[in-house]
Amino acid sequence: GQGRYADSIRDFDSALALAPSMMEAHHNRAMALAALGRVDEALAGLDEAIRLGPAHEKLYTNRGFLLLQLGRAGGARDSFDLAVAHKPDHALALWNRGLANLSLGAFDQGWRDYEHRWAVEHFRKIAGQAAGLSGRFDLHLPAAQALAGQRVMLLAEQGVGDVVMFASMIPDVIAIASRVTLACEPRLCRLMAQSFPGLDVVAMAPSHFFMPPFDRLLPGGSLGRLFRNRWEEFPGTPYLVPSREASDRWAEILGPKTAQRRIGLSWRGGMAGTRRGDRSMALASLKP
């Protein structure tokens, strides 16, 4: 609990020296290894815990997490299936099974499971103000056409990168609804307004924000199940448009263009609750 993972592994080793078949010690030791980035060792330890039993949804869910980290989405999905078999309403396993299915291109099933994120306490902590309004979301719309002629209020959720990604479906909403408003972080407002003519944009203040009258309230991450259930539904076209002011400012900062492409690198990612340490690197590592 203090993040002293190496110390905890030594204690778990001592416990296992006394009781080699202690399932919980194998499980907790595996999660400490995972926290240190030793994912392959952690997976072996978790498999041993499952072998010793009795296995339960937490073990299979954590095994799925590790397999996702290793890029083995198919195996992860199988582990989440086992977790759900043990506990059919296990929201954490359902949500992450959704992520595994999305990684595998099984979009229809993936988006359905992805809706279970709102029942996961950890997710609600990183979803910001959207979490407080989740009880009012239209999470069970039968089809995108249910938005026809409606005033739709979209709420940004999760981090800036997720907002930018899900924004690719804003044109799909605009094409159907009578009016679309997006509430997002102030730093994204200009980009969103510039990129999507016909979109109203409001800034999400730290404690509150103004919401105009609406008929449907949707989190941005729920647009996928309405508009992206098959590969053919991904248009593959650019959708973000910088303002002339921003373009001119960066042209001045970067100076004359001397090659066909200029590539920017981001070396920090994530938030405190979304594995920032695993998603960032030292700038010096990029120097070579």
Side-chain angles (χ1 to χ4, degrees):
Q2 296 177 348
R4 295 164 54 190
Y5 302 116
D7 290 340
S8 75
I9 289 171
R10 283 193 288 271
D11 284 338
F12 290 131
D13 286 341
S14 297
L16 290 169
L18 296 169
S21 61
M22 186 180 178
M23 182 270 287
E24 279 296 339
H26 282 284
H27 175 215
N28 292 331
R29 181 180 185 276
M31 300 319 294
L33 285 167
L36 292 174
R38 295 160 62 181
V39 183
D40 287 303
E41 293 176 73
L43 185 61
L46 209 47
D47 284 339
E48 179 65 9
I50 290 171
R51 186 187 70 80
L52 290 168
H56 51 74
E57 66 275 2
K58 184 176 181 181
L59 288 175
Y60 288 120
T61 300
N62 284 338
R63 186 175 187 274
F65 289 156
L66 298 183
L67 288 167
L68 276 181
Q69 281 187 277
L70 292 170
R72 294 163 58 183
R77 178 173 60 185
D78 293 341
S79 284
F80 294 130
D81 280 341
L82 289 168
V84 173
H86 278 261
K87 188 177 180 183
D89 63 345
H90 191 40
L92 187 61
L94 289 163
W95 170 35
N96 282 278
R97 186 176 70 178
L99 296 177
N101 272 311
L102 292 172
S103 297
L104 293 165
F107 301 113
D108 185 37
Q109 181 61 50
W111 291 124
R112 285 201 299 271
D113 281 343
Y114 191 64
E115 293 304 317
H116 289 278
R117 68 196 185 279
W118 296 104
V120 177
E121 182 179 357
H122 167 71
F123 177 83
R124 292 174 63 85
K125 288 181 179 177
I126 64 174
Q129 290 166 276
L133 293 164
S134 59
R136 300 170 64 186
F137 290 157
D138 280 314
L139 297 180
H140 304 291
L141 293 179
Q145 288 305 316
L147 302 178
Q150 302 279 291
R151 297 170 298 176
V152 178
M153 184 77 204
L154 297 175
L155 293 188
E157 56 169 288
Q158 305 176 62
V160 170
D162 294 271
V163 177
V164 168
M165 176 175 64
F166 290 123
S168 66
M169 291 173 280
I170 289 176
D172 298 82
V173 186
I174 292 174
I176 296 175
S178 64
R179 179 179 179 182
V180 183
T181 304
L182 171 70
C184 63
E185 279 195 40
R187 57 178 159 159
L188 288 176
C189 287
R190 183 177 65 181
L191 176 62
M192 293 296 142
Q194 177 75 24
S195 299
F196 306 110
L199 176 69
D200 296 326
V201 182
V202 297
M204 296 179 89
S207 58
H208 67 281
F209 59 97
F210 168 74
M211 287 200 300
F214 60 84
D215 302 305
R216 302 281 190 180
L217 181 64
L218 288 171
S222 291
L223 295 178
R225 66 188 172 86
L226 298 176
F227 298 106
R228 299 290 185 270
N229 289 300
R230 302 189 313 277
W231 280 112
E232 298 76 31
E233 294 175 343
F234 288 78
T237 53
Y239 57 93
L240 296 180
V241 180
S243 67
R244 172 62 64 182
E245 176 190 352
S247 295
D248 290 346
R249 179 165 55 88
W250 278 100
E252 183 178 350
I253 291 171
L254 295 173
K257 194 171 183 179
T258 58
Q260 184 178 1
R261 291 178 183 270
R262 289 192 282 215
I263 299 172
L265 299 175
S266 173
W267 67 95
R268 289 186 60 78
M271 300 181 290
T274 59
R275 298 178 15 253
R276 175 184 286 160
D278 293 341
R279 299 167 63 179
S280 303
M281 62 191 296
L283 181 58
S285 301
L286 288 169
K287 185 176 180 180

